[in-house]
């Protein structure tokens, strides 16, 4: 506020201040606004049109909205609701309620955002600090729902539909699990073991497998035939009389051998399928744990920045 006279110059009216601030003896404290400072300044101006001085006194009233009400009624409930987002990464994927919990938290924040929009002034000149905080929390909740979808996709994958890439097994199931200190029953995830395993993979990639190993993998029938069995002449005569019986027995033995190989192959495929399914579930658990720590640090950092910001601090008495 500026007080002065354009009719009378300084030689006729001399405006002076008793003090360099406004007297606030009758001021009543407001529950919504905080009075920061009320300085008073005396100015003496000379204009080109007139040689006489013109005196004015400028009073500046500096007020600020109190933040205690918004802190306990908006920011603290928002922080508590956003903490529920972390529960989506702790809830097991098999329960089927991860996305429901995330969407419920997001809807709760949306309702609170509507309350904030009604309470803060409608302006486009600047964004209120509480609005920035709500925007950051809602972005976090939205990304958490997206990551939850990714986790559920990993958890419900099967070898019949998807083949696990080698980088998922190396980076997520091994090194990322080791970095997050996630243990897996029956598996050694120590750094020394992972380095040895990586060297073995490199060695297997450089060295071709042996012929016998290929024969075993492809189930090539390299059994010894009857004609290859060394026999003496008396044994050969005996063998001629029982050739038909031996051939029958050999056929039955080969049939049994093929059945055993089929059963062994089937059991091996089932074990590999179960192991790969467990690998997909373990990868989902590792991503869950990674998102839990990332969003925890993000939420704690955002809340501390809001509560420790200079504009959020209350000033008791600066006069």
């Amino acid at each position: 506020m500026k007080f002065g006279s354009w009719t009378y110059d300084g030689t006729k009216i001399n405006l002076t201040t008793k003090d360099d601030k406004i007297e606030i003896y009758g001021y009543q404290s407001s529950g919504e606004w905080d009075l920061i400072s009320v300085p008073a300044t005396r100015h003496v101006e000379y204009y080109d049109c007139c040689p006489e001085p013109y005196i004015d006194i400028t009073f500046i009233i500096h007020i600020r909205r109190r933040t205690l009400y918004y802190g306990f009624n908006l920011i603290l409930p928002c922080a508590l609701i956003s903490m529920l987002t972390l529960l989506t990464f702790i809830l097991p994927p098999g329960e089927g309620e991860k996305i429901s919990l995330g969407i419920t938290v997001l809807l709760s924040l949306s309702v609170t955002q509507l309350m904030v929009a009604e309470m803060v002034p409608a302006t486009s000149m600047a964004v209120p600090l509480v609005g920035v905080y709500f925007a950051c929390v809602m972005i976090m909740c939205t990304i958490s729902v997206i990551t939850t979808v990714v986790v559920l996709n990993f958890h419900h994958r099967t070898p019949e539909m998807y083949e696990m890439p080698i980088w998922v097994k190396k980076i997520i199931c091994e090194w990322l699990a080791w970095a997050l200190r996630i243990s897996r029953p029956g598996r050694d995830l120590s750094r020394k073991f992972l380095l040895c395993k990586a060297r073995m993979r490199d060695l297997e990639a450089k060295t071709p497998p042996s012929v016998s190993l290929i024969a075993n993998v492809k189930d090539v029938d390299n059994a010894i035939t009857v004609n290859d069995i060394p026999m003496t002449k008396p044994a050969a005569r005996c063998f001629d009389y029982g050739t038909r019986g031996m051939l029958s027995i050999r056929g039955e033995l080969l049939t049994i051998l093929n059945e055993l190989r089929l059963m062994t192959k089937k059991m091996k495929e089932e074990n590999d399928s179960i192991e790969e399914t467990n690998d997909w579930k373990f990868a989902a658990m590792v991503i869950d744990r990674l998102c839990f720590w990332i969003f925890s640090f993000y939420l704690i950092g955002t809340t501390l920045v809001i509560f420790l910001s200079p504009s959020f601090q209350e000033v008791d008495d600066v006069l």
Side-chain angles (χ1 to χ4, degrees):
M1 296 182 294
K2 186 176 183 179
F3 295 89
S5 175
W6 287 102
T7 307
Y8 301 97
D9 54 45
T11 59
K12 298 177 181 180
I13 296 179
N14 185 16
L15 300 176
T16 59
T17 57
K18 184 179 179 180
D19 201 353
D20 58 350
K21 62 181 180 180
I22 303 175
E23 295 181 359
I24 56 173
Y25 298 112
Y27 171 72
Q28 295 182 356
S29 300
S30 173
E32 185 177 0
W33 299 94
D34 188 16
L35 186 62
I36 303 300
S37 61
V38 284
T41 308
R42 181 175 182 270
H43 299 94
V44 179
E45 298 289 343
Y46 290 91
Y47 299 98
D48 296 336
C49 63
C50 307
E52 297 85 2
Y54 285 85
I55 302 173
D56 66 81
I57 298 177
T58 304
F59 299 95
I60 300 176
I61 301 176
H62 184 198
I63 60 176
R64 185 176 63 187
R65 190 186 299 270
R66 294 182 181 271
T67 57
L68 188 62
Y69 173 81
Y70 297 94
F72 279 93
N73 292 278
L74 291 179
I75 295 182
L76 186 59
C78 176
L80 295 177
I81 293 175
S82 59
M83 286 182 183
L84 298 178
T85 307
L86 303 178
L87 297 179
T88 59
F89 304 113
I90 301 177
L91 192 67
E95 296 296 329
E97 298 294 334
K98 292 173 72 69
I99 297 182
S100 301
L101 179 60
I103 293 178
T104 303
V105 173
L106 189 59
L107 291 177
S108 302
L109 290 175
S110 300
V111 174
T112 312
Q113 177 69 25
L114 294 177
M115 297 173 55
V116 174
E118 294 177 357
M119 298 176 65
V120 299
T123 177
S124 298
M125 300 297 295
V127 180
L129 193 62
V130 63
V132 175
Y133 179 71
F134 270 84
C136 294
V137 173
M138 291 189 70
I139 290 173
M140 182 193 74
C141 293
T142 304
I143 298 176
S144 69
V145 173
I146 297 174
T147 54
T148 301
V149 173
V150 175
V151 169
L152 291 177
N153 189 4
F154 272 55
H155 181 79
H156 294 287
R157 287 192 175 189
T158 56
E160 291 79 9
M161 301 297 295
Y162 301 95
E163 182 179 358
M164 176 174 282
I166 190 63
W167 65 269
V168 174
K169 188 172 294 185
K170 285 184 179 179
I171 299 177
I172 298 180
C173 296
E174 294 180 359
W175 289 107
L176 190 56
W178 169 78
L180 296 175
R181 298 296 187 267
I182 301 177
S183 60
R184 188 175 181 183
R187 298 288 184 89
D188 187 4
L189 295 178
S190 62
R191 184 173 180 272
K192 182 178 180 181
F193 178 77
L194 294 179
L195 291 175
C196 293
K197 195 172 182 180
R199 296 193 193 98
M200 289 296 295
R201 285 199 188 103
D202 295 338
L203 185 60
E204 290 176 359
K206 294 178 181 178
T207 306
S210 60
V211 178
S212 60
L213 181 59
I214 295 178
N216 292 330
V217 172
K218 293 183 177 180
D219 291 332
V220 177
D221 188 8
N222 49 5
I224 300 175
T225 60
V226 180
N227 296 328
D228 294 333
I229 301 176
M231 297 182 182
T232 58
K233 291 183 178 180
R237 293 194 189 96
C238 296
F239 182 74
D240 290 337
Y241 293 107
T243 301
R244 294 182 179 179
M246 289 294 294
L247 291 176
S248 177
I249 295 174
R250 180 178 180 275
E252 293 179 0
L253 290 177
L254 289 178
T255 303
I256 295 173
L257 180 61
N258 291 331
E259 292 293 333
L260 290 176
R261 286 180 176 177
L262 184 61
M263 293 173 59
T264 305
K265 182 180 179 181
K266 185 65 176 178
M267 292 176 62
K268 185 177 182 301
E269 290 177 353
E270 290 180 356
N271 293 333
D272 293 341
S273 177
I274 294 174
E275 184 177 357
E276 189 169 348
T277 302
N278 293 332
D279 289 340
W280 280 116
K281 294 181 179 181
F282 184 72
M285 186 179 69
V286 173
I287 296 176
D288 251 350
R289 184 69 60 85
L290 176 65
C291 294
F292 173 79
W293 287 114
I294 291 176
F295 284 99
S296 297
F297 288 123
Y298 176 83
L299 179 61
I300 294 173
T302 305
T303 306
L304 290 178
V305 167
I306 294 297
F307 276 96
L308 298 180
S309 60
S311 58
F312 193 82
Q313 302 296 320
E314 290 284 342
V315 179
D316 295 332
D317 188 11
V318 296
L319 303 178

